[in-house]
């Protein structure tokens, strides 16, 4: 096994590091009943470099790789087409869980790490409901997300939202409405999209140079 795991290059390390935020996000999304683990395969004796909700398995960062996981690693190394597996199993205390193991590829397609998620199926219904029910914090209560098919539809939806916000604000003078609309679109990153300036200019009935002028003024 040691002959098949190579030392990580600097690029490999950066790739592995890039998955850390993904682990945090998925751990937060699925909640306390889901354990998320990142393994560094250059250090099998202490391969766990990131773990979310480690209380579920009793592990922490620095733990060694499991026998089952190691067996899947061997299969991944032997078969380039085998890059993930999902399975059901039981923990050391008999807890049933569903798990998935996905390869993290580094330079030249080498398997350098693993991204693992384990969801414990004995979680109470109350716990599950609490995790997928909006909290009283109110942090996201006012978020409305509309999924679109193309960039132009995204621009026009954002434009309509911006127009509604600006037109309903009586404190904004008529001469400044387009400026404020463009400012809102700029804050949302709409002008990072291809042809966004032309599209917005056409729908506001102004020149693209006017849009560019307002964007330049915001960057001063």
């Amino acid at each position: 096994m040691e002959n098949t795991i190579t030392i990580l290059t600097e690029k490999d390390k950066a790739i592995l590091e890039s998955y850390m935020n993904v682990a945090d996000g998925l751990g937060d999304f699925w909640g306390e009943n889901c354990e998320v683990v990142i393994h560094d395969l250059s250090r099998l004796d202490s391969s766990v470099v990131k773990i979310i909700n480690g209380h579920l398995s009793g592990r922490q960062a620095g733990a060694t790789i499991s026998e089952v996981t190691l067996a899947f690693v061997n299969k991944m190394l032997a078969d380039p087409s085998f890059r993930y597996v999902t399975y059901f199993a039981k923990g050391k205390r008999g807890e049933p869980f569903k798990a998935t193991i996905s390869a993290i590829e580094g330079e030249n397609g080498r398997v350098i790490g693993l991204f693992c998620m384990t969801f414990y199926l004995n979680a109470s219904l109350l716990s599950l409901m609490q995790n997928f029910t909006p909290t009283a914090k109110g942090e996201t209560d006012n978020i409305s997300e509309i999924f679109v098919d193309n960039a132009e539809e995204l621009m026009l939806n954002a434009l309509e939202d911006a127009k509604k916000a600006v037109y309903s604000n009586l404190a904004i003078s008529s001469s400044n409405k387009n400026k404020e609309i463009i400012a809102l679109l700029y804050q949302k990153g709409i002008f990072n999209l291809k042809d966004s300036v032309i599209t917005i200019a056409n729908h506001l009935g102004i020149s693209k140079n006017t849009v560019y002028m307002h964007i330049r003024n915001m960057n001063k």
Side-chain angles (χ1 to χ4, degrees):
M1 185 66 188
E2 292 177 355
N3 295 329
T4 60
I5 301 295
T6 59
I7 297 173
L8 301 188
T9 66
E10 290 304 314
K11 184 175 181 180
D12 290 335
K13 292 176 182 177
I15 292 172
L16 205 58
E17 182 67 28
S18 71
Y19 280 84
M20 301 300 180
N21 290 334
V22 179
D24 286 324
L26 285 173
D28 187 53
F29 178 83
W30 287 109
E32 62 182 11
N33 300 301
C34 182
E35 183 181 81
V36 183
V37 177
I38 295 177
H39 289 278
D40 177 348
L41 295 182
S42 70
R43 38 184 285 187
L44 296 181
D45 290 339
S46 56
S47 66
V48 177
V49 291
K50 177 81 171 184
I51 186 165
I52 308 296
N53 293 326
H55 64 277
L56 293 169
S57 66
R59 292 180 296 175
Q60 58 186 356
T64 188
I65 194 167
S66 73
E67 181 181 352
V68 171
T69 304
L70 189 57
F72 284 129
V73 171
N74 274 326
K75 290 184 180 180
M76 289 177 180
L77 295 173
D79 182 358
S81 67
F82 183 70
R83 286 295 178 261
Y84 74 90
V85 62
T86 299
Y87 61 97
F88 290 90
K90 289 185 178 181
K92 60 184 179 182
R93 294 184 293 270
E95 322 95 315
F97 62 78
K98 182 178 182 180
T100 182
I101 300 174
S102 299
I104 298 175
E105 295 186 343
E107 289 190 281
N108 303 316
R110 293 177 301 110
V111 180
I112 62 170
L114 301 172
F115 193 96
C116 308
M117 293 177 58
T118 302
F119 194 87
Y120 283 77
L121 303 174
N122 59 346
S124 68
L125 180 59
L126 176 60
S127 175
L128 292 174
M129 291 299 294
Q130 286 177 335
N131 186 61
F132 288 96
T133 301
T135 65
K137 296 178 183 178
E139 296 175 354
T140 60
D141 288 350
N142 295 321
I143 294 179
S144 176
E145 185 171 11
I146 300 174
F147 298 100
V148 296
D149 294 325
N150 55 64
E152 183 175 8
E153 189 178 353
L154 170 60
M155 296 177 209
L156 297 183
N157 281 341
L159 176 59
E160 286 304 309
D161 288 342
K163 288 168 68 174
K164 288 178 183 177
V166 170
Y167 291 161
S168 64
N169 189 341
L170 300 179
I172 301 175
S173 65
S174 298
S175 59
N176 283 326
K177 289 190 184 300
N178 285 339
K179 175 184 175 182
E180 294 300 323
I181 289 172
I182 291 169
L184 289 177
L185 295 176
Y186 181 81
Q187 291 168 12
K188 290 183 176 181
I190 295 299
F191 293 112
N192 291 320
L193 299 171
K194 183 180 179 181
D195 297 329
S196 55
V197 169
I198 295 175
T199 300
I200 298 303
N202 289 341
H203 282 82
L204 285 178
I206 58 179
S207 70
K208 65 178 183 180
N209 290 332
T210 300
V211 176
Y212 280 124
M213 177 190 70
H214 289 315
I215 293 175
R216 284 196 301 271
N217 290 336
M218 283 183 282
N219 285 324
K220 288 182 179 179

